[in-house]
Every structure is written in structure tokens, then in C-alpha cells.
């Protein structure tokens, strides 16, 4: 079953770009160009995700979001904003957006976040033991093992691994990691996350063991069963 | 004329002042005339009583004799008597006949009467009554002197009121001239600024009065606006300048990309380079917007308590692996230091400082990240043992797009500018100095003498929490 995304964006170039990408990724996309129209369609229901631009004609994105939430519509919302400053992002989240993405973004980033929002209900299952191949992470005892080998992880490494495992098979971007683990809503210039990932890789992939964390070019990382 | 605020003010002032003067003087005059009238009544009453005794003792004749005696006395010139029989025939007194308007037995009254010895009527306060034998007696006092006095009093009051009105008019005029003069200065300055000369300022007289203080505040506001305009101009100028070269490169890349017989690998390389150029431009744009927002004071409304130590721990945690990769030790010494601030912007400032330090720290050296209270001031410090910044260049590097060592590359020239803007937003003092970390570090190979590698201490000294709150309030309403 293909999932339905409502795209509310007035900039046609941007909307084309997003709609094409989402279409190729197998989503059914419905588009509208004004806030009023968008709100009308969103209240119709039947969507799995709403991608909402912050600046819209007739009714701005924040108002659309507020009205949707007031009408009891719980569909996940991904907000888009032009050159988002740190404050803008935090405000969008506070107003009830489920995630926030600042323009310009790469399509990979948008896709990763959309995927994360669509799959979210699964996360809420209270799994205490996460696994991938022979890697096991126990959230209750905070232990990680690969096969019979105990892996000593620093607290942040443990969080990072758990975050990746909870999204097994899905792309996790650098900014998603920065936001989730450090609450940093800006992009450091240095490749700090890459370094963290490579340290984590060294710890979980012993000699001869198949690597579990993969780099998805131009997007981020993904932990998945080897094969 | 009445349309101007000052003339209305003068009118109100005039009305109020005149009215109060008139009221005070009126009450005063009325009181004193009432007092004198009362005194006359008392005298009359005493006299009537004396005459009644005479009548009781000597009858009409005795009374007539007493009256005649009194009239002869020079001292009694103001006294008026008239004694008539039951039919109104005059027995004695200095009035020719009983005045028809005076009823015997009535209350004391005032009226004009002709005395026997006077051609003109005189003002008289009189009381009349009927004696037990049917005779009628009128006792009065010449009220001329009193009336004169009263008139003089009333006249004085009216003159004084008029004079007061005149004075208040003059005072109001002078005051308005002064006020209008000072306001006129402000208005003229404002018109000149409207006409395009943003450098104009309201003149100060050095009197430190309300107007001088108002003008000083206005000038400070104008300075701030001029500063912001200058900033904006600088931003657009440098933006235009700085984006021109990457845009030109980008255009060249896309032109090359359009070549029909291009190998796929070459095409891919071009795409990657174009993407990198675009990324760099977008980064700069984002940084510039953050700087402008911070400098304009946006974000102050989102201030909350922030522990610098926790901030430093998070950042150290994020950067430690990257530092390790470069062979640099990241030493954290975080003592609690609570401030009010914007956690995201502070984290970003710290991240910029750490990235700078990482870029310049020689292999084998250490970067120190310290927080704590120094001299009562919450402090955040990043110290490296790199080449440092010469004292003469320290102010300059805080400006946008200034990089000292192009060979080190990578830097956008906006990192420290953003740190400076964030410091300013927090009312914090940003100081750059030679590093103390440089003195006791292991000497790296590419930096043989300490003089060549003084290192850099970047310190953010925050106002203590309660002072931070005051600074926030005095900054006025934020947009």
C-alpha cells in the first residue's frame, strides 16, 4: 500500500522537486499551493504525512498547523522553512510540528525525515532489547554485545547506537543525530558526527565481522542486517 | 495659534492661575468686609441697648436728651439717630423724616439716607424699633468709610487678579518659547534626518536637564539605528562581494557541465564541485542571517537559565573524537556557571570556537575548555596552543569575512563574527588573548619557539545572572 503525503508548498520549483523525489520513492503525493487549501485537504484526512511550508499565501504554515491540531488531526507534520534560524525551528516544534527542516535541504535529508515520521508508531513499542544480526543492545541494563563479545560504549555512543537500531533499515542523517543526541539545531562545520560514527564502527565491528553501520552517500547512515 | 500644544497649555495655565488668584482674593475680601459689617452690627446693638436703658430710666424725654447730647459730640460724627412719636413726627435726631423703607422692629438693614447736615445721601447701616410708649427709634451708622474701604479692597482684588493673569501669560509665553525652542531643535534634526542626513544629531546644551537627557537618549537611538543601517550595508556589500566569486565559479562549472562530449566521471566530479560551492554559499548565508539576528537582539525573548558547564560538557563530548583524530587533546574543566541565555546560540558560539581551535591547534597540543566563575563573573573559555592572533588584529578578526591565514583555508570568515554577535546579544564581554595553554603545552614540531606560537585564549565573560536580567529589561521592548 502506497503511503499518502500531502505537500503544502507555494513555491512550484520546490514543490516539483519534492513531489518528484517522493514519487520516485514510492509515495502518493497530493499538492496544494495555499495555506487555506492545504488546511482544507488536511482536515479531509486520509494522509499519512503532511509536509508544510512555513511561509504560505492566505494562511501561513504555523496557522495551518495550529488549526489542524485544534481540529484534532494527529497526522505527522514536517515543517519546511526558508533559511531557518535556530529560533524558527524550535518555535515550529513548539507549535506542534513533529519535525522541522530548514531550506535548503538535500532531498535525502527530507526523505530520511519523512520516513522516520511515517514509521514512528512502530517505535513506540517498548522494546528493551534491540538487535541487528548478532549485535544486541539492552536498553534496560545498558549493555551491548556482538556475538559473545561485550562492547564497552561511552554513554553517548550507546545512545547513538540505540538511536540507529530503533530505526533499523532506515536512513538516519547527521542532523537527525545532532538534534536527537545533542539537541543541536545547527550544523557544525566539522565532520564531528562522521568521527563519532567511525569510532562506533570500530567498536561494534570486530575483525572479520560484517560491518553493520553503512554510509548512505549524501544522506547519512543506516544500520541493517548484513547481506 | 490655539492649535499648538503650547498655546493650549498657556491658556489652561492662565485660566487656572487667574481663577485661583481671583478665588483667594475674593474669599479674603469677602471675609474682611463681612467682619467689618459684623462689627458695625455689634456697635449698633450695644448702642440700642444703652438707649433702651435711658428710655427705661427717663422716658422719651430722657432718651431725646441723650440723643441730642450724643449728636453734639464731634466723636459721634458717624452716628445717626431718629426718634419719632407714634405718628412718625420727628422728636429729635439728624434725619429729617422717617425713611419709608425702614420698618420698626425689623432686622438691621443698609440703605441710603439724607442726613440733615449733608447734601448728598450717605450709606447707612441702621436698625429700627418701636418703643413701649409707641415712639419709634432708628439708630444707624454712617457706612461711607466702610463702603470706601470695601470698594478699595474689591478693586485691589480685581487688579491683582488681572496682574496675575498678565504675569502668568508672560511666564507661559517665556516657558513655551523655551520648550518650543528645544522641541524645535529636535524637530529640525528629525527633518534633516528624514531628508537623508542620518549623521545629524540633536544638539546638547550640557545642562543635564530633562531636555538634554531626552536629546542624549534620542542621539543614542540614532547612533544605534545608524549602526544597524551601517551593519546592514556592510552585510549586503560583503555578501555581494563574497557570493560573487563562488557564484562565478558555479556558473563556470555549470557551463562546463553543459559540454555535450563530457565523460560521465568528469560530469560527476563537476556535479560534486558545484554542490560543494552551493553548500558553502548556503552556509555563509545562514551564518550571516544568524549574525544579523543576534546583532539586532532577536532571541533575547527566548533566554532561559543555562549552565555553561553542561553546555561545555555536551560540546566536549561532541568534539572529543574529532580532536582525538587530529592528535589534539581536548581537556575539559567545567565548574558550574549559571547564566541566562539562549542555549542554541551559546552552543553554536562554543562550537565555532572549538572548531577554530581544532583548525589551528598543532598536533600533540591540547585545547582547554573551561567554565566557572571568575571574579564573580560566569566565564566560558576556549584556549588553544596554535599560532594565535596578533594583538593588533584581534578587533579585526571579529568582523565578518575576515580571515587571517588564507592558507589554512576552510574558514568562512564568519565564525568569530558570529561568536561576537552572540556575545553581544548576551551582554557578554569577548576577549582574545595569548594563551595560557601555550605556556605549558608539549612543544609541537611545527612551532619551535613559544613566540611563534602564543596560542589563543578566547574568553566570554557573562554578566552575573541578576545583572543579565537588568540588561535585558533596559534593552527595551524587543521586536
Amino acid at each position: 500500500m502506497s503511503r499518502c503525503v500531502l505537500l503544502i508548498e507555494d513555491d512550484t520549483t520546490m514543490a516539483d522537486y519534492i513531489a518528484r523525489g517522493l514519487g520516485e520513492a514510492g509515495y502518493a503525493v497530493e499538492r496544494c499551493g495555499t495555506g487555506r487549501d492545504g488546511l482544507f485537504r488536511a482536515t479531509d484526512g486520509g494522509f499519512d504525512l503532511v509536509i508544510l511550508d512555513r511561509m504560505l499565501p492566505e494562511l501561513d504554515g504555523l496557522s495551518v498547523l495550529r488549526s489542524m491540531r485544534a481540529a484534532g488531526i494527529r497526522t505527522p507534520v514536517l515543517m519546511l522553512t526558508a533559511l531557518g534560524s535556530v529560533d524558527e525551528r524550535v518555535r515550529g516544534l513548539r507549535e506542534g510540528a513533529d519535525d522541522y527542516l530548514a531550506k535548503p535541504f538535500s532531498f535525502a535529508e527530507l526523505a530520511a525525515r519523512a520516513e522516520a515520521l511515517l514509521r514512528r508508531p512502530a517505535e513506540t513499542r517498548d522494546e528493551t532489547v534491540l538487535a541487528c544480526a548478532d549485535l544486541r543492545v539492552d536498553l534496560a541494563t545498558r549493555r551491548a554485545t556482538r556475538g559473545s563479545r561485550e562492547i564497552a560504549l561511552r554513554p553517548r555512543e550507546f545512545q547513538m547506537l540505540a538511536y540507529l537500531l530503533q530505526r533499523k533499515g532506515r536512513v538516519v542523517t547527521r542532523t537527525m543525530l545532532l538534534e536527537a543526541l545533542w539537541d543541536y539545531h545547527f550544523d557544525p562545520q566539522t565532520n564531528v558526527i562522521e568521527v563519532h560514527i567511525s569510532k562506533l564502527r570500530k567498536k561494534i565491528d570486530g575483525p572479520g565481522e560484517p560491518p553493520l553501520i553503512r554510509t548512505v552517500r549524501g544522506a547519512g547512515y543506516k544500520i541493517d542486517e548484513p547481506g | 495659534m490655539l492649535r499648538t500644544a503650547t498655546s493650549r497649555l498657556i491658556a489652561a495655565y492662565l485660566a487656572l492661575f487667574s481663577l485661583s488668584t481671583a478665588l483667594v482674593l475674593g474669599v479674603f475680601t469677602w471675609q474682611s468686609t463681612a467682619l467689618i459689617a459684623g462689627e458695625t452690627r455689634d456697635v449698633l446693638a450695644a448702642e440700642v441697648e444703652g438707649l433702651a436703658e435711658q428710655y427705661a430710666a427717663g422716658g422719651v424725654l430722657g432718651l431725646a436728651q441723650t440723643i441730642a447730647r450724643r449728636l453734639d459730640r464731634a466723636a459721634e460724627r458717624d452716628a445717626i439717630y431718629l426718634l419719632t412719636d407714634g405718628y412718625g413726627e420727628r422728636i429729635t435726631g439728624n434725619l429729617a423724616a422717617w425713611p419709608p423703607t425702614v420698618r420698626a422692629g425689623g432686622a438691621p438693614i443698609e440703605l441710603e439716607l439724607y442726613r440733615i447736615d449733608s447734601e448728598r445721601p450717605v450709606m447707612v447701616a441702621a436698625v429700627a424699633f418701636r418703643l413701649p410708649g409707641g415712639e419709634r427709634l432708628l439708630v444707624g451708622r454712617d457706612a461711607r468709610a466702610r463702603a470706601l474701604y470695601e470698594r478699595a479692597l474689591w478693586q485691589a482684588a480685581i487688579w491683582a487678579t488681572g496682574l496675575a493673569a498678565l504675569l502668568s501669560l508672560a511666564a507661559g509665553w517665556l516657558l513655551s518659547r523655551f520648550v518650543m525652542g528645544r522641541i524645535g531643535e529636535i524637530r529640525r534634526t528629525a527633518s534633516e534626518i528624514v531628508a537623508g542626513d542620518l549623521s545629524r544629531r540633536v544638539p546638547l546644551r550640557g545642562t543635564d536637564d530633562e531636555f538634554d537627557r531626552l536629546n542624549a537618549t534620542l542621539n543614542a537611538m540614532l547612533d544605534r539605528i545608524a549602526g544597524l543601517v551601517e551593519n546592514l550595508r556592510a552585510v549586503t556589500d560583503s555578501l555581494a562581494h563574497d557570493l560573487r566569486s563562488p557564484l562565478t565559479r558555479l556558473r563556470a562549472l555549470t557551463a562546463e557541465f553543459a559540454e555535450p562530449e563530457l565523460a560521465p566521471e568528469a560530469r560527476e566530479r563537476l556535479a560534486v564541485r558545484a554542490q560543494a560551492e552551493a553548500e558553502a554559499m548556503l552556509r555563509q548565508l545562514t551564518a550571516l542571517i544568524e549574525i544579523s539576528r543576534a546583532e539586532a537582539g532577536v532571541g533575547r525573548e527566548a533566554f532561559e537559565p543555562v549552565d555553561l558547564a553542561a553546555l561545555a560538557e555536551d560540546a566536549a563530548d561532541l568534539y572529543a573524537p574529532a580532536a582525538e583524530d587530529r592528535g589534539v587533546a581536548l581537556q575539559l574543566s567545567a565548574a558550574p556557571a549559571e547564566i541566562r541565555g539562549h542555549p542554541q546560540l551559546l552552543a553554536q558560539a562554543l562550537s565555532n570556537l572549538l572548531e577554530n581551535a581544532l583548525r589551528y591547534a598543532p598536533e600533540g597540543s591540547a585545547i582547554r575548555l573551561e567554565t566557572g566563575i571568575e571574579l564573580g563573573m560566569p566565564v566560558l573559555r576556549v584556549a588553544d596552543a596554535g599560532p594565535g592572533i596578533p594583538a593588533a588584529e584581534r578587533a579585526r578578526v571579529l568582523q565578518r569575512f575576515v580571515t587571517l591565514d588564507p592558507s589554512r583555508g576552510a574558514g568562512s570568515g564568519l565564525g568569530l563574527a558570529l561568536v561576537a554577535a552572540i556575545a553581544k546579544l548576551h551582554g557578554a564581554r569577548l576577549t582574545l588573548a595569548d594563551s595560557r595553554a601555550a605556556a605549558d603545552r608539549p612543544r609541537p614540531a611545527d612551532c619551535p619557539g613559544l613566540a611563534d606560537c602564543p596560542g589563543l585564549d578566547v574568553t566570554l565573560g557573562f554578566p552575573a545572572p541578576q545583572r543579565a536580567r537588568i540588561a535585558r529589561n533596559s534593552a527595551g521592548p524587543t521586536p
Side-chain angles (χ1 to χ4, degrees):
Chain A
M1 183 194 76
S2 108
R3 285 160 303 176
C4 282
V5 177
L6 176 61
L7 173 61
I8 311 174
E9 163 69 86
D10 59 318
D11 177 348
T12 41
T13 317
M14 179 62 83
D16 286 345
Y17 172 64
I18 296 171
R20 201 175 55 237
L22 289 176
E24 279 165 14
Y27 297 94
V29 183
E30 224 182 293
R31 292 165 53 167
C32 47
T34 70
R36 203 172 300 281
D37 195 17
L39 179 60
F40 180 74
R41 303 249 204 121
T43 44
D44 260 2
F47 292 102
D48 301 296
L49 173 69
V50 177
I51 297 176
L52 176 60
D53 189 30
R54 169 77 177 72
M55 307 277 271
L56 286 169
E58 290 180 36
L59 198 62
D60 77 284
L62 275 185
S63 307
V64 172
L65 177 60
R66 233 176 275 138
S67 309
M68 271 178 66
R69 293 303 186 227
I73 294 160
R74 297 274 149 261
T75 316
V77 171
L78 173 59
M79 278 285 247
L80 304 178
T81 182
L83 280 169
S85 85
V86 160
D87 273 325
E88 279 279 287
R89 300 194 196 195
V90 174
R91 206 168 128 222
L93 294 178
R94 216 173 275 154
E95 293 285 352
D98 298 272
D99 203 353
Y100 210 84
L101 196 52
K103 289 181 197 168
F105 46 80
S106 63
F107 184 77
E109 182 78 39
L110 176 77
R113 284 173 187 260
E115 187 71 20
L117 288 176
L118 284 165
R119 294 255 200 109
R120 213 148 58 145
E123 272 172 44
T124 50
R125 274 182 291 146
D126 284 328
E127 288 171 305
T128 54
V129 181
L130 305 167
C132 180
D134 53 350
L135 173 70
R136 303 191 94 69
V137 168
D138 189 329
L139 296 178
T141 59
R142 302 196 77 78
R143 279 181 60 213
T145 52
R146 178 103 196 236
S148 58
R149 181 167 58 89
E150 184 96 13
I151 307 171
L153 292 174
R154 284 194 283 211
R156 204 72 80 165
E157 290 169 336
F158 186 89
Q159 282 176 13
M160 194 176 269
L161 185 56
Y163 189 86
L164 285 166
L165 280 170
Q166 279 162 340
R167 289 154 187 78
K168 191 166 82 172
R170 278 179 278 154
V171 176
V172 169
T173 66
R174 281 178 286 278
T175 49
M176 281 164 82
L177 284 170
L178 272 167
E179 285 175 19
L181 270 62
W182 278 274
D183 194 26
Y184 275 18
H185 295 263
F186 57 90
D187 243 348
Q189 300 215 358
T190 326
N191 55 346
V192 274
I193 293 295
E194 287 83 328
V195 181
H196 273 277
I197 290 283
S198 82
K199 303 255 172 209
L200 185 59
R201 271 187 182 133
K202 275 186 201 126
K203 286 193 179 179
I204 63 170
D205 299 332
E209 286 167 344
L212 297 177
I213 301 175
R214 273 171 247 172
T215 303
V216 182
R217 243 190 89 198
Y221 307 94
K222 181 161 86 169
I223 198 162
D224 212 349
E225 307 287 339
Chain B
M1 180 63 184
L2 262 172
R3 289 164 60 98
T4 68
T6 38
S7 54
R8 276 202 300 267
L9 207 69
I10 294 173
Y13 182 62
L14 178 69
L16 198 73
F17 195 66
S18 309
L19 200 72
S20 57
T21 313
L23 210 68
V24 167
L25 288 176
V27 166
F28 170 75
T29 313
W30 181 70
Q31 278 280 352
S32 28
T33 54
L35 191 75
I36 297 168
E39 231 160 59
T40 312
R41 265 199 305 281
D42 287 350
V43 169
L44 285 178
E47 198 141 18
V48 165
E49 204 173 311
L51 291 174
E53 273 166 26
Q54 292 295 325
Y55 179 78
V60 177
L61 201 62
L63 180 58
Q65 277 170 354
T66 310
I67 289 171
R69 228 178 10 252
R70 284 200 187 170
L71 285 174
D72 283 346
R73 283 215 300 261
E76 302 282 356
R77 265 197 22 237
D78 282 351
I80 284 165
Y81 298 102
L82 179 63
L83 179 64
T84 66
D85 63 14
Y87 305 101
E89 284 300 313
R90 176 172 173 270
I91 298 169
T92 186
N94 52 1
L95 290 183
W98 189 270
T101 51
V102 176
R103 234 168 25 88
I109 57 163
E110 285 201 7
L111 71 166
E112 286 198 318
L113 293 174
Y114 285 91
R115 285 167 64 150
I116 289 177
D117 51 0
S118 163
E119 301 278 299
R120 282 185 301 167
V122 293
M123 201 60 183
V124 169
V127 63
F129 51 94
R130 198 179 286 275
L131 295 172
E135 299 87 355
R136 283 186 282 178
L137 177 63
L138 186 150
V139 181
R141 284 278 142 178
D142 191 333
R144 225 177 349 182
R146 211 191 76 206
L148 275 177
Y149 173 67
E150 271 177 25
R151 212 172 64 215
L153 217 52
W154 280 113
Q155 263 169 6
I158 288 160
W159 274 108
T161 305
L163 209 65
L166 220 63
L167 268 172
S168 66
L169 203 64
W173 183 71
L174 281 173
L175 195 70
S176 78
R177 253 180 66 98
F178 171 71
V179 172
M180 288 317 286
R182 303 295 305 255
I183 290 177
E185 284 170 356
I186 298 173
R187 195 174 43 78
R188 269 193 302 281
T189 310
S191 326
E192 281 162 3
I193 290 171
V194 169
D197 186 359
L198 199 52
S199 68
R200 297 293 308 178
R201 293 294 177 269
V202 189
L204 297 183
R205 296 192 180 171
T207 47
D208 198 34
D209 56 6
E210 286 82 350
F211 280 105
D212 253 21
R213 267 175 279 158
L214 172 66
N215 292 353
T217 312
L218 285 174
N219 287 346
M221 182 183 79
L222 289 170
D223 287 344
R224 174 101 174 101
I225 292 172
L228 289 176
V229 169
E230 179 51 37
N231 258 343
L232 202 62
R233 205 185 55 75
V235 170
T236 29
D237 282 3
S238 40
L239 203 58
H241 172 266
D242 247 69
L243 293 187
R244 185 168 294 142
S245 29
L247 276 171
T248 313
R249 285 200 297 272
L250 201 56
R251 192 177 59 181
L253 284 171
T254 45
E256 217 176 314
F257 196 81
E259 287 294 322
E261 61 265 13
L262 201 63
E265 311 85 63
R267 212 181 277 280
E268 196 174 331
R269 270 203 307 280
L270 282 175
V272 168
R273 273 171 58 199
Q275 214 168 9
E277 292 283 2
E279 292 279 323
M281 273 190 284
L282 289 169
R283 265 180 193 288
Q284 287 199 342
L285 219 48
T286 310
L288 277 168
I289 285 168
E290 288 291 349
I291 291 172
S292 313
R293 285 172 62 96
E295 281 182 346
V298 180
R300 241 181 229 129
E301 70 285 346
F303 274 16
E304 55 185 86
V306 176
D307 184 10
L308 294 177
L311 198 76
E313 276 161 19
D314 269 357
D317 190 43
L318 179 62
Y319 281 94
E324 203 180 303
D325 263 17
R326 284 169 171 70
V328 173
L330 185 54
Q331 299 170 347
L332 175 68
S333 131
E338 186 97 352
I339 63 160
R340 280 189 66 81
H342 193 301
Q344 286 296 324
L345 291 178
L346 288 169
Q348 182 149 19
L350 179 53
S351 147
N352 284 5
L353 291 178
L354 284 173
E355 283 181 3
N356 262 355
L358 276 175
R359 189 171 306 136
Y360 294 113
E363 207 181 323
S365 71
I367 294 170
R368 285 218 296 236
L369 173 53
E370 301 168 352
T371 67
I373 307 284
E374 288 175 14
L375 302 170
M377 196 192 268
V379 159
L380 174 67
R381 178 177 299 117
V382 176
D384 69 55
I389 296 174
E393 301 278 18
R394 281 174 195 157
R396 209 166 68 82
V397 294
L398 299 181
Q399 293 166 8
R400 301 174 175 94
F401 298 122
V402 174
T403 39
L404 285 186
D405 187 1
S407 64
R408 298 263 177 168
S412 62
L414 292 172
L416 276 177
L418 181 54
V419 173
I422 292 172
K424 195 171 151 204
L425 178 72
H426 287 81
R429 188 165 358 128
L430 174 63
T431 21
L432 308 185
D434 285 346
S435 179
R436 284 176 282 168
D440 52 331
R441 75 197 135 97
R443 200 60 47 85
D446 62 342
C447 209
L450 187 62
D452 302 323
C453 241
L456 182 65
D457 257 21
V458 183
T459 309
L460 279 166
F462 291 87
Q466 64 274 26
R467 269 186 51 212
R469 223 169 10 251
I470 292 163
R472 185 177 169 219
N473 290 341
S474 68
T478 44

